[in-house]
Amino acid sequence: MKTIIQGEVTMNRSLVSAVLRRCAPVVFGVCLVLVVAGSGLAANTYTDLKGRFAFDLPEGWKMNSSTADRLFIFKGGSGETMILMYDEEAKDVDKLVETAADTFKDSGASNAVLEGTVKKLTVNTSPARWAIYAGTVDAGTVKVKLFGVVGAVAMKDGGGLFMLNILNDSGRSKWEKQLEKTFQSIRTP
């Protein structure tokens, strides 16, 4: 009777071992997905082709265009716009915020003003700022209120960038927190 039990145990071990060998890739894949999901990393990560920076785009956002190796434009699913400008010489994060605000004003919201104050942040050990500007744009006979949601970071490894998100009222309420999270994900790859 002992032999039969040992035979059953041996057979069960072999069966378990065979099942584990077949299932190991699936189990590993599921664990990897859970780790990545738990880490906050998005499947929609943009990495600069020159390896200067990377960040996680909100779901559904895509690069629209890139020009002059410094200017990157991303679009959301409902037409939201994100402008990212990289400057390899930038060291002063406050000047980057000013440049972003001027870019927003030059886009048609020339009367834009800062709402509240510029928040001082740290993004992945680099000095950063976050600000919101409000202005109106003439669209024929209608004035449209727009917001320039701005993030700027002086990268620890050199260079800096600003992210300008141009949103209307409903876009702001929908995207502001998510775009701040995207900004906080900026890093050196």
Side-chain angles (χ1 to χ4, degrees):
M1 193 150 178
K2 267 187 165 179
T3 307
I4 294 172
I5 292 173
Q6 283 182 325
E8 287 176 11
V9 170
T10 302
M11 184 177 81
N12 286 343
R13 283 186 187 153
S14 297
L15 179 62
V16 168
S17 185
V19 168
L20 284 177
R21 276 195 304 274
R22 285 192 171 161
C23 294
V26 172
V27 170
F28 176 75
V30 168
C31 289
L32 183 61
V33 166
L34 291 173
V35 166
V36 169
S39 71
L41 296 176
N44 196 16
T45 298
Y46 176 78
T47 303
D48 174 54
L49 294 176
K50 290 191 171 189
R52 300 172 293 189
F53 60 89
F55 63 95
D56 302 327
L57 285 163
E59 188 174 326
W61 286 61
K62 293 183 169 63
M63 179 185 270
N64 191 48
S65 65
S66 172
T67 60
D69 196 35
R70 300 180 50 210
L71 178 67
F72 306 85
I73 299 173
F74 300 87
K75 289 284 189 180
S78 303
E80 303 84 7
T81 301
M82 176 192 302
I83 300 168
L84 189 135
M85 176 70 86
Y86 178 82
D87 182 350
E88 59 190 42
E89 303 295 321
K91 294 181 179 139
D92 186 335
V93 71
D94 293 311
K95 284 186 181 176
L96 285 167
V97 169
E98 289 174 24
T99 303
D102 289 342
T103 302
F104 179 55
K105 290 174 183 178
D106 291 344
S107 73
S110 59
N111 61 352
V113 294
L114 177 65
E115 278 194 351
T117 61
V118 176
K119 287 191 333 189
K120 292 184 178 186
L121 306 171
T122 301
V123 171
N124 292 312
T125 71
S126 296
R129 303 290 183 266
W130 184 257
I132 299 174
Y133 293 84
T136 55
V137 175
D138 287 328
T141 59
V142 178
K143 288 189 184 244
V144 178
K145 186 169 186 174
L146 292 179
F147 299 92
V149 180
V150 173
V153 61
M155 304 294 282
K156 188 174 100 175
D157 299 330
L161 57 87
F162 72 76
M163 179 183 286
L164 168 61
N165 305 281
I166 301 173
L167 306 168
N168 61 20
D169 270 326
S170 63
R172 179 181 178 186
S173 61
K174 178 179 179 182
W175 291 106
E176 185 177 341
K177 294 291 181 200
Q178 198 167 356
L179 291 169
E180 187 170 1
K181 186 177 178 183
T182 292
F183 176 68
Q184 292 279 353
S185 76
I186 294 173
R187 61 199 175 272
T188 304

